[in-house]
Amino acid sequence: MKHLPKEQRGAEALRLTIKTLLAASYSWRGYEAQRQWLEKLLQRDATAGFTPAERDGVARIAYMRTPFEGWAGYRVQELIKGALPYASDFDYDEELFLKEVDTESPTALVRDQMRMLVGLCRAAGMDLPRFDARYEAYDDEAA
């Protein structure tokens, strides 16, 4: 069995992470630029490594693209149905988001989409805990 250098193994693992992210069926709404960047990273020579900043960028995208099937005991569809009657009370972007996810009928939403949906549900009067979408690696900087 051929042993790869540590850097090359790390690069291959990151390439696999990127391929997995791009293959996920979850909506890329709001992530078009990140998707293009990930695709560009994959177009590089397979022997090329990645910088620490690129590795961190991929980790942040992977974190934010974590799917959630629900929140506080409610499935995504139940949350959508809870906020939908109040769609006209929200601002245009929030109303548009809510109507788009209702049309898509997703079974899961990525982290920032779930944060937005939970916020809309809370504004609609549902008793839900807040959804914190911050990336933990940056909590120290935010404090």
Side-chain angles (χ1 to χ4, degrees):
M1 181 189 314
K2 183 178 174 184
H3 291 285
L4 299 174
K6 183 178 180 181
E7 298 83 28
Q8 193 171 0
R9 284 193 312 266
E12 286 301 315
L14 192 65
R15 291 178 71 76
L16 180 60
T17 298
I18 294 169
K19 288 177 184 178
T20 302
L21 283 169
L22 292 172
S25 62
Y26 308 110
S27 171
W28 281 87
R29 180 188 308 103
Y31 280 91
E32 294 82 9
Q34 289 84 353
R35 182 181 186 132
Q36 290 173 354
W37 181 70
L38 292 173
E39 289 170 345
K40 284 182 182 179
L41 288 179
L42 282 183
Q43 291 172 359
R44 284 188 187 167
D45 178 17
T47 60
F50 296 97
T51 67
E54 289 168 335
R55 290 177 183 281
D56 186 52
V58 172
R60 282 182 283 139
I61 292 170
Y63 177 80
M64 292 307 291
R65 300 281 305 156
T66 302
F68 289 83
E69 294 180 357
W71 183 250
Y74 293 94
R75 294 186 324 249
V76 169
Q77 284 299 311
E78 293 170 322
L79 293 169
I80 293 168
K81 298 302 177 208
L84 202 54
Y86 301 91
S88 61
D89 295 337
F90 304 136
D91 72 27
Y92 176 75
D93 290 334
E94 293 167 338
E95 181 179 359
L96 185 62
F97 164 78
L98 191 54
K99 289 181 177 180
E100 285 177 354
V101 295
D102 183 46
T103 300
E104 293 169 1
S105 298
T107 58
L109 293 174
V110 296
R111 190 174 300 273
D112 66 326
Q113 294 170 345
M114 183 59 82
R115 178 200 47 81
M116 180 178 257
L117 180 58
V118 168
L120 295 175
C121 288
R122 289 171 52 89
M126 291 180 73
D127 185 24
L128 297 173
R130 291 188 184 276
F131 188 92
D132 187 4
R134 287 179 294 168
Y135 183 54
E136 288 100 13
Y138 294 97
D139 279 351
D140 291 339
E141 292 177 14

